């Protein structure tokens, strides 16, 4: 198998971390600048990363980071450590991952996609950050992390790999990051530290965000 990634992308980081954690024999390919190429579109017509390409002619591929995380965790030796087979625990992990995708992450683009040169709404950034503070972070800290170091677990799972790398995006606006609750910052650091083999990738995004000095970088939340 091959995993096509954008090396600084938070959405790629969880899948990279899982592969390295499990010491899996999967080739990780830098797809930066190639996702609109004819060759890549044959693999993934949605032109997104990460994309997991299966071996063999016409073997196909899957994309969307959470789908790949689940597939790899189920199929790689050692993956059960990050995605326990217990149905109730799996249900909780799936719930958190769905919350990440439909709730928390929806607040990220207006705040941080300016680092990619994309047009964002400054008013939307403030509204989305307020939603993180009042709605999403309390769920993370007071429900998912209420009694455990990681989401419903004393050890990291693929739910944490879905959430934590994306929190780095908030560093694109230093005054926003300053308002992030310490419990969220501690969780973010704890997850990334649990996967040292992916530090280089985590640091890429961190550097892009902390080094951003364009429009909105100094805005108040």
């Amino acid at each position: 198998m091959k995993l096509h990634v954008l090396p600084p992308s938070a959405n790629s980081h969880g899948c990279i971390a899982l592969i390295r954690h499990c010491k899996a024999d999967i080739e990780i390919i830098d797809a930066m600048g190639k996702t609109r190429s004819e060759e890549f579109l044959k693999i993934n017509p949605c032109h997104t990363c990460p994309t997991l390409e299966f071996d063999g002619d016409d073997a196909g591929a899957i994309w969307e980071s959470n789908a790949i995380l689940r597939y790899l965790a189920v199929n790689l030796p050692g993956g059960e450590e990050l995605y326990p087979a217990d149905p109730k625990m799996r249900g909780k992990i799936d719930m958190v991952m769905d919350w990440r995708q439909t709730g928390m992450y929806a607040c990220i683009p207006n705040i941080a996609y300016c680092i990619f040169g994309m047009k964002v709404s400054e008013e939307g950034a403030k509204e989305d950050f307020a939603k993180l503070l009042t709605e999403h972070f309390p769920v993370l800290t007071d429900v998912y992390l209420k009694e455990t170091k990681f989401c419903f677990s004393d050890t990291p799972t693929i739910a944490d790999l879905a959430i934590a790398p994306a929190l780095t995006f908030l560093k694109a606006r230093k005054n926003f990051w300053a308002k992030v609750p310490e419990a969220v910052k501690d969780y973010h650091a704890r997850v990334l530290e649990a996967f040292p083999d992916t530090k280089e990738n985590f640091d890429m995004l961190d550097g892009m965000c902390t080094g951003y000095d364009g429009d909105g970088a100094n805005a108040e939340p």
Side-chain angles (χ1 to χ4, degrees), residues 103-115:
M104 187 201 85
Y105 197 85
C107 295
I108 297 293
N110 274 324
I111 296 172
Y113 278 17
C114 47
I115 69 171

Side-chain angles (χ1 to χ4, degrees), residues 179-212:
K179 300 289 187 182
V180 173
E182 287 303 314
V184 175
K185 291 180 179 178
D186 289 346
Y187 165 72
H188 169 256
R190 190 160 58 243
V191 176
L192 301 195
E193 288 168 4
F195 297 92
D197 291 341
T198 312
K199 184 178 187 301
E200 180 181 2
N201 296 92
F202 296 150
D203 287 351
M204 285 182 193
L205 180 59
D206 191 282
M208 288 178 66
C209 292
T210 58
Y212 176 71

Side-chain angles (χ1 to χ4, degrees), residues 124-146:
K126 294 178 181 181
E127 292 174 358
D128 289 341
F129 188 67
K131 189 177 293 186
L132 286 173
L133 291 180
T134 60
E135 296 182 26
H136 299 307
F137 287 161
V139 171
L140 177 62
T141 58
D142 300 344
V143 181
Y144 303 156
L145 300 171
K146 183 179 180 180

Side-chain angles (χ1 to χ4, degrees), residues 111 122 125-126 129 133 170 173-180 185 216-217 219-221:
I111 296 172
E122 292 301 315
K126 294 178 181 181
F129 188 67
L133 291 180
L170 302 178
R173 297 177 185 253
K174 63 181 181 181
N175 295 323
F176 285 47
W177 181 250
K179 300 289 187 182
V180 173
K185 291 180 179 178
E220 293 292 335

Side-chain angles (χ1 to χ4, degrees), residues 50-168:
T51 292
L52 184 66
E53 181 185 4
F54 299 113
D55 293 330
D57 295 337
D58 300 320
I62 56 174
W63 47 92
E64 295 299 332
S65 57
N66 284 351
I68 295 172
L69 283 170
R70 291 182 177 107
Y71 177 86
L72 292 174
V74 167
N75 289 283
L76 292 181
E80 189 174 328
E81 175 188 341
L82 300 172
Y83 195 36
D86 174 72
K88 184 179 291 185
M89 186 61 190
R90 241 178 221 192
K92 289 181 177 180
I93 291 171
D94 288 342
M95 175 181 70
V96 175
M97 293 174 78
D98 289 351
W99 165 86
R100 181 267 195 199
Q101 205 76 346
T102 61
M104 187 201 85
Y105 197 85
C107 295
I108 297 293
N110 274 324
I111 296 172
Y113 278 17
C114 47
I115 69 171
F116 303 125
M118 297 175 66
K119 185 177 180 179
V120 300
S121 165
E122 292 301 315
E123 194 59 38
K126 294 178 181 181
E127 292 174 358
D128 289 341
F129 188 67
K131 189 177 293 186
L132 286 173
L133 291 180
T134 60
E135 296 182 26
H136 299 307
F137 287 161
V139 171
L140 177 62
T141 58
D142 300 344
V143 181
Y144 303 156
L145 300 171
K146 183 179 180 180
E147 298 175 344
T148 52
K149 292 169 60 178
F150 302 96
C151 291
F152 294 117
S153 175
D154 288 322
T155 58
T157 72
I158 57 173
D160 303 295
L161 283 176
I163 295 168
L167 294 173
T168 302

